[in-house]
Amino acid sequence: MSERKLRVLVAKPGLDGHDRGAKVVARALRDAGMEVIYTGLRQTPEMIAEAVLQEDVDAVGLSILSGAHMALVPRILELLKQNGQEHVRVFVGGIIPNEDLPRLLEMGVAGVYGPGTLTEDIVNDIRQAVAKAAHAGGD
Amino acid sequence: MHLAAQVLAGNRLALARLITQIENELPEGWAALSELFPHGGRAHLVGVTGASGTGKSTLVNHLARWYRLEANGCSPRRVGIVAVDPTSPFTGGAILGDRVRMRDLSGDPGVFIRSMASRGSLGGLASATASVVDAMDAAGFELILIETVGAGQSEVEIARLAHTTLVVEAPGLGDEIQAIKAGILEIADLLVVNKADRPGVENTERALRSMLQLAGPVGRVFRHHGRHEYTTGPGPQPGQTQGWVPPILRTVATEGVGIAEVGQAIERHRRALEESGDWERRARARLGSQLDSLLQGALVARWRESLPEIEYQRILDRLVERRLSPWQAVKQLLDGNLE
């Protein structure tokens, strides 16, 4: 069997309705050989955590353009922890002001990506982060 | 507590992890599933198949909701859903987008949805789908909806796995001749014309009805490596006046129209299977098929390990040079000579 397939959830938490970025990333991950569970718009943190659990994903990509990231991301991280899924790497993309980056990374977010990010960078970061998490005893 | 025990105790993360192990063909997955296997065999397996764009996911969403509501007349059943989407043959990746249509089910602890990529399998399911369904069965999900890839007419694998197969059509997706082609329509226990608010629904229904009349009620025959396995046809059986004729039902899944009728038809089909003895017959055919497929894989893998690669390549070279035919090549590999 060739190397294990990575499963990644791509979700848009909150109320913003612009999903072009999320879809671009989803396609890029697919083209990189990953299995992308695309859950679409208007996901609550609870819905996202539930999907992360049922789908047993390696990583989550959250697309947030509404500015609500400092409310949504901690809630999602907390739910993942409650469910026993701290090893799942969380990536955030969208409109994230620079001053929020340190706090997000401190919370445990594995990567933050603004407009203009190259999709290959996201792909590589996900692969590395998941490999590191696996070595740290995730599997 | 180890994985199998956790699954039996209702731990949902354990079930999710087990499914991953099964998908990745890990020995610990097979071991856990072997422990769980005696606890299964009770779930009603319902396949939902049909071309892309017919609304399968939306239908599955609403059907699952119907099963969860006490208002449908039976007590709520725990519902497992497996949704299969195609793996790209070029990149090996996949977009698994069926959950998008299943928002209504979120937050319900009696529902478990798992998306699977086909990972190269043709026929509408992934090779691990049957085992994943076994895991959900053992975990206590009483109804398991299996949504196939949905690429079209060759997707008949689901009929081997499911007790009840729904084929979903929609108006305007193809001319009436499509309805008569062999394959997907022959596997239907129920025919659902979704998006029934669209123009052309009468034509679609008429085409399906005429296809059913042409085919006539026949027993389900599984041709399997030259052997025939039969289930009873819906012709008159002792004590019965009429067999099962697939009903044609109209739905507008996005609005929940016609869903209760589909649910009730599924329940009627289950009773018909139990009364005719087909429930057991189909289970036997399904497990036999699963056994053969696993056996085939295991035998070939084991045998290949004992064959030096260089010898295989040597014979392949001769095949490419047309000094050997494929059948001679097999004989050579298996028997070591051409006699």
Side-chain angles (χ1 to χ4, degrees):
Chain A
M1 245 209 76
S2 50
E3 67 181 60
R4 189 168 80 82
K5 304 257 185 186
L6 293 192
R7 284 168 64 91
V8 181
L9 190 90
V10 171
K12 285 194 64 67
L15 296 176
D16 93 77
H18 296 90
D19 58 359
R20 171 115 65 87
K23 285 180 174 168
V24 165
V25 169
R27 280 198 292 272
L29 298 183
R30 177 203 59 197
D31 290 345
M34 301 184 192
E35 295 176 349
V36 181
I37 293 100
Y38 184 80
T39 55
L41 301 172
R42 285 184 289 278
Q43 299 287 300
T44 64
E46 289 73 18
M47 288 164 78
I48 291 172
E50 182 185 57
V52 169
L53 187 147
Q54 292 176 355
E55 303 286 355
D56 193 23
V57 296
D58 301 295
V60 187
L62 302 172
S63 165
I64 308 175
L65 286 87
S66 61
H69 48 279
M70 294 312 289
L72 292 166
V73 174
R75 178 73 184 132
I76 291 169
L77 289 170
E78 185 193 318
L79 287 170
L80 294 190
K81 191 169 169 191
Q82 274 177 29
N83 286 342
Q85 290 192 289
E86 286 146 291
H87 64 281
V88 175
R89 306 280 77 201
V90 177
F91 298 83
V92 182
I95 304 294
I96 315 288
N98 283 334
E99 55 258 33
D100 290 336
L101 250 72
R103 279 171 65 200
L104 285 170
L105 294 173
E106 206 182 324
M107 279 180 218
V109 171
V112 181
Y113 306 96
T117 306
L118 296 175
T119 52
E120 59 197 76
D121 289 340
I122 301 177
V123 168
N124 288 331
D125 287 355
I126 291 178
R127 282 207 180 111
Q128 278 176 26
V130 171
K132 233 164 75 176
H135 277 116
D139 249 315
Chain B
M1 246 204 300
H2 66 296
L3 201 60
Q6 286 177 313
V7 170
L8 286 174
N11 184 321
R12 290 153 73 77
L13 181 58
L15 176 60
R17 310 243 57 207
L18 173 61
I19 292 174
T20 303
Q21 287 177 357
I22 292 169
E23 255 202 308
N24 293 336
E25 296 179 344
L26 297 174
E28 46 267 46
W30 301 135
L33 197 52
S34 292
E35 270 191 71
L36 291 168
F37 200 72
H39 297 267
R42 291 167 306 180
H44 184 183
L45 308 183
V46 178
V48 181
T49 189
S52 306
T54 51
K56 294 191 296 298
S57 295
T58 310
L59 184 68
V60 166
N61 175 50
H62 284 270
L63 263 178
R65 270 184 72 204
W66 184 81
Y67 272 99
R68 294 296 297 151
L69 296 172
E70 287 197 58
N72 70 24
C74 347
S75 52
R77 243 167 286 184
R78 298 180 64 207
V79 179
I81 297 173
V82 180
V84 189
D85 270 325
T87 293
S88 160
F90 307 109
T91 67
I95 304 265
L96 310 179
D98 295 327
R99 284 191 89 106
V100 173
R101 309 264 183 257
M102 300 187 194
R103 310 176 58 89
D104 298 325
L105 303 171
S106 70
D108 185 343
V111 176
F112 194 105
I113 304 170
R114 180 73 177 223
S115 312
M116 292 183 74
S118 64
R119 294 196 182 176
S121 289
L122 309 172
L125 301 176
S127 57
T129 300
S131 300
V132 169
V133 167
D134 283 337
M136 286 187 174
D137 184 354
F141 290 91
E142 293 127 334
L143 180 87
I144 301 174
L145 294 160
I146 304 136
E147 186 188 332
T148 71
V149 167
Q153 294 174 332
S154 60
E155 290 208 338
V156 296
E157 212 184 325
I158 186 68
R160 209 163 278 195
L161 174 60
H163 295 104
T164 304
T165 301
L166 269 63
V167 173
V168 186
E169 296 280 343
L173 286 189
D175 62 39
E176 282 69 40
I177 308 298
Q178 297 286 342
I180 304 173
K181 285 186 186 167
I184 199 172
L185 289 169
E186 290 181 32
I187 65 168
D189 295 304
L190 262 75
L191 285 158
V192 178
V193 181
N194 191 31
K195 307 193 181 185
D197 50 347
R198 291 209 181 158
V201 61
E202 291 85 9
N203 287 341
T204 305
E205 207 179 298
R206 199 177 308 127
L208 293 172
R209 213 175 289 285
S210 66
M211 184 280 300
L212 283 178
Q213 282 161 359
L214 271 178
V218 289
R220 186 71 50 83
V221 182
F222 291 97
R223 284 193 55 196
H224 189 60
H225 298 291
R227 287 180 47 237
H228 288 75
E229 298 154 25
Y230 292 93
T231 60
T232 44
Q237 300 293 308
Q240 273 188 307
T241 47
Q242 199 183 6
W244 180 266
V245 177
I248 303 175
L249 301 163
R250 293 191 190 186
T251 57
V252 183
T254 47
E255 291 166 22
V257 172
I259 301 297
E261 287 76 7
V262 174
Q264 285 153 11
I266 293 173
E267 291 306 293
R268 278 203 307 278
H269 186 247
R270 182 193 178 136
R271 284 194 292 277
L273 286 176
E274 285 169 343
E275 281 160 21
S276 67
D278 267 353
W279 185 270
E280 282 81 22
R281 264 183 286 266
R282 288 197 190 189
R284 193 179 176 87
R286 173 180 0 113
L287 289 169
S289 178
Q290 193 177 5
L291 178 64
D292 286 347
S293 147
L294 287 173
L295 201 56
Q296 200 173 42
L299 277 172
V300 173
R302 196 179 286 186
W303 179 80
R304 275 300 297 267
E305 272 167 33
S306 62
L307 179 75
E309 180 65 14
I310 192 162
E311 190 176 319
Y312 178 87
Q313 293 297 337
R314 201 171 53 81
I315 300 221
L316 182 56
D317 288 341
R318 293 177 72 195
L319 177 62
V320 169
E321 289 159 19
R322 297 201 169 233
R323 292 194 286 147
L324 272 184
S325 74
W327 307 274
Q328 286 172 324
V330 169
K331 195 141 199 329
Q332 180 82 343
L333 283 168
L334 288 179
D335 299 336
N337 59 68
L338 289 172
E339 277 308 301

